[in-house]
Amino acid sequence: MLETLLDNLFILNGVFRPNNGSIALAKVAINYEGSFLDLGTGSGFITIAMYQSGKIGDSSDISSLTLSCAEKNFNLYNIPIKPIQSNLFEEITSTYDTIIFNPPTNNFLMEGDENILKNKLKNIISPTICMYLSHIYQWVNTSRRREGILDFIFDVEDNVNSGGRVLMNILDQDFNYLIKHTPSFISITKLTSIQRNTVIEVNYF
């Protein structure tokens, strides 16, 4: 069970703790065959779930702290890869059948160090306050976040094998914006929704 895996992960302070959206994304991703890239792997949760389901692929993240956390979990679960340090695709040289990405919902363009600080604050502020602050920040950064997601969808195509796809976890409120602003050669499909999050599949024609 993915929930059991999540309960047993090693999470360093400052590393994003997988949530229900992460679990929903992993449950979708394990159904696809072929190579995968877990982009922004965080704790390594999705990569571990993929390997436990018999898939083979890579994981990457921009933060050295996050990579250290992922490596500890890979060693714990005997995952035979070393995560790649990369700002999105800067150091990625391969192409994949499935690219899995769970971007920050507050601000897609947030730098790695900012994300670490945000995740550390979550550990010292009550969950209720965190929720309200997150909703406010998501609203303030709506335009930047949506533009960042759209730019990513355009840019990622070169790293997707023919017939492949991108799987992403986004906010429900961003889905219709993406549908409206993507050209006809890009198909975006809603796969599942949970707690204001939507898992989408992006295909290119």
Side-chain angles (χ1 to χ4, degrees):
M1 293 288 290
L2 293 176
E3 290 80 1
T4 302
L5 168 60
L6 181 56
D7 289 340
N8 291 297
L9 282 179
F10 174 79
I11 308 289
L12 285 169
N13 187 20
V15 174
F16 173 72
R17 179 176 293 277
N19 55 20
N20 287 330
S22 309
I23 294 174
L25 184 56
K27 284 181 177 179
V28 167
I30 60 177
N31 293 307
Y32 290 89
E33 299 300 328
S35 61
F36 74 88
L37 172 65
D38 178 15
L39 187 67
T41 190
S43 63
F45 168 69
I46 290 179
T47 293
I48 295 169
M50 295 294 282
Y51 268 85
Q52 288 184 335
S53 298
K55 312 301 188 297
I56 296 176
D58 294 320
S59 67
S60 69
D61 208 292
I62 188 175
S63 162
S64 55
L65 176 70
T66 299
L67 292 173
S68 175
C69 182
E71 281 197 81
K72 288 180 182 294
N73 285 314
F74 291 170
N75 290 334
L76 180 64
Y77 286 93
N78 297 314
I79 306 302
I81 61 169
K82 182 179 178 65
I84 303 163
Q85 186 161 19
S86 179
N87 181 12
L88 294 178
F89 295 100
E90 286 182 2
E91 305 299 326
I92 304 298
T93 58
S94 300
T95 58
Y96 302 89
D97 297 307
T98 302
I99 293 178
I100 308 160
F101 191 33
N102 191 12
T105 55
N106 291 322
N107 184 355
F108 181 90
L109 303 176
M110 185 178 288
E111 297 293 334
D113 289 342
E114 293 177 283
N115 260 319
I116 290 172
L117 177 60
K118 179 195 71 174
N119 292 324
K120 285 184 175 180
L121 288 173
K122 285 182 177 179
N123 291 328
I124 61 175
I125 299 175
S126 76
T128 301
I129 294 175
C130 276
M131 180 184 68
Y132 283 112
L133 289 176
S134 180
H135 289 177
I136 292 170
Y137 202 64
Q138 288 169 2
W139 177 75
V140 170
N141 287 283
T142 295
S143 295
R144 292 186 69 203
R145 183 185 65 250
R146 288 176 174 177
E147 290 169 4
I149 295 173
L150 197 57
D151 287 344
F152 173 81
I153 288 173
F154 288 135
D155 293 342
V156 70
E157 183 181 5
D158 290 341
N159 294 88
V160 180
N161 290 333
S162 177
R165 80 286 307 163
V166 177
L167 301 176
M168 295 180 69
N169 181 41
I170 63 171
L171 293 175
D172 288 341
Q173 60 185 283
D174 295 338
F175 178 72
N176 288 334
Y177 172 86
L178 296 181
I179 293 294
K180 183 178 179 180
H181 289 86
T182 50
S184 58
F185 67 87
I186 298 177
S187 170
I188 299 179
T189 306
K190 179 185 291 189
L191 300 180
T192 186
S193 295
I194 181 171
Q195 293 184 348
R196 300 177 59 248
N197 289 271
T198 291
V199 177
I200 61 170
E201 178 177 348
V202 182
N203 299 101
Y204 303 89
F205 303 100

